[in-house]
Amino acid sequence: MVIGVELTISGKIDSARPLLLVSNHVSYLDIPILASSAPICFTPKSDISGWPVIGTIAKLSGSVFIDRRPDKMVEMKQAIHTALVANRIVLLFPEATTGNGVHMEPFKSGFFSLAEEEINGQPLTVQPACIAYTHVCGLPITTAEWPHVAWYSDMVLAPHAWELLKLGPIRAELTFLPPVTLPSLGDRKKLSSYCQSVIRKQLDQAHEVEA
């Protein structure tokens, strides 16, 4: 169990290095859920470094803070490249925001340009991962409960976290899907599309089982 979340993990993190994990993004709960599976290098937005408590935890965990503005893309890639060269498992959320738990935002293919170059003489292995929240107190999540589970849009963190705690135990599934490389698919746009497709399929399956 992770902070009140009953977690089921399917599959495993690939042993290849360098390794880039890409996942859908639903909530701040995603971070401890993913962190429970392996020592992962997270890539939060640069402004989070100044947040109380959360920013400090992110710094202590060795996160790479990135500025996602287009004019900072080169700096972002270099910071992540450095972590990959050090054989750290780096995680990206290609939606660049959080979704509502059921629907995913489009993946930004620019993040996958990291896979266009070899690292330490090896192609970058990219592994999709899917986070699905399925139950509250043993019952499928209802439409009314979703806004208290997923954290998105302009929701304020503290009130949301309080409502989340009042819900009761949450069940979640973390699924590690088969890894791929960019050369096996052709280019970064196809890689981005593939990762979004397999994560979307896994998310749909989780919610079908839930229903």
Side-chain angles (χ1 to χ4, degrees):
M1 180 174 288
V2 179
I3 56 169
V5 176
E6 299 171 358
L7 179 63
T8 299
I9 299 178
S10 300
K12 62 180 181 180
I13 292 180
D14 196 71
S15 60
R17 300 292 181 274
L19 179 65
L20 178 70
L21 286 177
V22 294
S23 172
N24 62 314
H25 198 11
V26 182
S27 167
Y28 41 83
L29 290 175
D30 301 347
I31 307 304
I33 283 174
L34 285 157
S36 71
S37 64
I40 291 172
C41 175
F42 293 95
T43 53
K45 295 184 294 184
S46 56
D47 58 332
I48 291 178
S49 64
W51 289 15
V53 183
I54 293 177
T56 300
I57 292 173
K59 290 175 183 176
L60 292 174
S61 67
S63 295
V64 174
F65 294 97
I66 58 176
D67 190 327
R68 292 175 177 148
R69 290 176 296 179
D71 61 327
K72 297 293 184 179
M73 186 63 72
V74 173
E75 292 180 26
M76 180 197 78
K77 286 181 61 178
Q78 184 56 53
I80 296 174
H81 183 274
T82 299
L84 290 167
V85 167
N87 280 333
R88 301 186 68 188
I89 302 170
V90 176
L91 174 87
L92 284 177
F93 295 117
E95 292 166 282
T97 186
T98 48
N100 64 7
V102 178
H103 303 292
M104 289 170 55
E105 298 297 321
F107 278 14
K108 298 184 182 300
S109 64
F111 287 116
F112 293 86
S113 62
L114 289 158
E116 292 176 335
E117 300 177 9
E118 290 188 345
I119 298 177
N120 293 338
Q122 299 291 330
L124 178 61
T125 298
V126 179
Q127 184 169 24
C130 177
I131 299 174
Y133 297 90
T134 61
H135 293 74
V136 170
C137 294
L139 297 174
I141 298 176
T142 66
T143 301
E145 290 169 332
W146 267 119
H148 301 307
V149 176
W151 185 57
Y152 56 99
S153 187
D154 57 354
M155 292 177 173
V156 180
L157 178 60
H160 184 275
W162 176 243
E163 292 299 323
L164 177 71
L165 289 172
K166 292 194 295 183
L167 285 178
I170 296 171
R171 190 180 304 168
E173 299 175 4
L174 172 59
T175 304
F176 293 106
L177 299 159
V180 292
T181 61
L182 185 145
S184 68
L185 293 173
D187 58 45
R188 64 178 174 83
K189 290 187 177 181
K190 291 179 180 177
L191 177 60
S192 174
S193 177
Y194 170 81
C195 288
Q196 176 152 12
S197 175
V198 296
I199 293 172
R200 172 75 267 174
K201 181 178 179 181
Q202 183 62 40
L203 189 63
D204 287 345
Q205 288 179 350
H207 290 153
E208 285 173 6
V209 171
E210 162 194 335

